Amino acid sequence: MTLTAEQKRQAEQKHYNASLDLCPARQLLEAISSKWVTLVMLALVDGQQRHSHLRKRVPGASQKMLTSTLRSLERDGLVSRRVTLSVPVRTDYELTPLGHSLLRIVFEMKNWAEENMDAVAASRMEHDRHKLAFN
């Protein structure tokens, strides 16, 4: 069966529609959208870090949250983990080449936030003020 150009376009759009569970963009955004993922990646920018050192560099992250985040990043191939048998056991983490490639985007988002947060905060205040006036 031959598809029209419109049918082909719709099929391609459906294939990569961010609202669909199998969309690559959606899957990646779900994996990296946690603030902890971003903070851990930024903490690893200087190279290999011990788990205990990462806990100090990522304020507010509990040991459980940090461990969970690192496991998720390792599963996605963004972070590698190396265990050294010693007393106590030493565990080091570092960004993989794939993680470094994503870090460029994380830095762009960080820079955007720093440049635009005042405007976002002003917009939020105006929105909330407007909302209160109507309630």
Side-chain angles (χ1 to χ4, degrees):
M1 175 172 114
T2 304
L3 298 176
T4 66
E6 177 64 18
Q7 289 170 326
K8 287 179 186 177
R9 186 189 63 73
Q10 287 177 352
E12 288 173 2
Q13 183 180 6
K14 183 178 179 185
H15 183 65
Y16 288 103
N17 186 333
S19 66
L20 299 176
D21 288 340
L22 297 179
C23 173
R26 179 179 179 164
Q27 290 176 15
L28 180 62
L29 286 171
E30 285 177 359
I32 66 169
S33 62
S34 159
K35 73 176 180 180
W36 301 117
V37 166
T38 305
L39 293 173
V40 168
M41 290 187 70
L42 290 170
L44 288 170
V45 71
D46 295 329
Q48 188 176 49
Q49 304 281 327
R50 292 181 74 169
H51 190 280
S52 59
H53 191 246
L54 281 171
R55 279 203 344 243
K56 294 174 188 167
R57 294 199 63 192
V58 183
S62 67
Q63 182 168 347
K64 181 179 177 181
M65 180 57 69
L66 182 58
T67 299
S68 173
T69 300
L70 287 164
R71 285 181 182 159
S72 173
L73 288 167
E74 183 182 12
R75 180 176 180 251
D76 290 341
L78 302 172
V79 167
S80 64
R81 178 174 71 111
R82 191 179 82 204
V83 177
T84 305
L85 296 179
S86 61
V87 178
V89 173
R90 177 183 171 132
T91 307
D92 294 288
Y93 297 89
E94 69 180 317
L95 292 171
T96 63
L98 187 61
H100 278 285
S101 70
L102 178 59
L103 193 60
R104 289 192 304 268
I105 296 166
V106 170
F107 272 119
E108 287 180 32
M109 290 187 334
K110 180 181 177 289
N111 291 338
W112 184 92
E114 290 169 353
E115 292 171 7
N116 294 284
M117 199 56 216
D118 288 342
V120 170
S123 179
R124 286 176 178 173
M125 285 177 54
E126 181 62 26
H127 178 271
D128 293 348
R129 185 178 12 247
H130 218 59
K131 189 175 178 181
L132 285 174
F134 286 108
N135 285 339

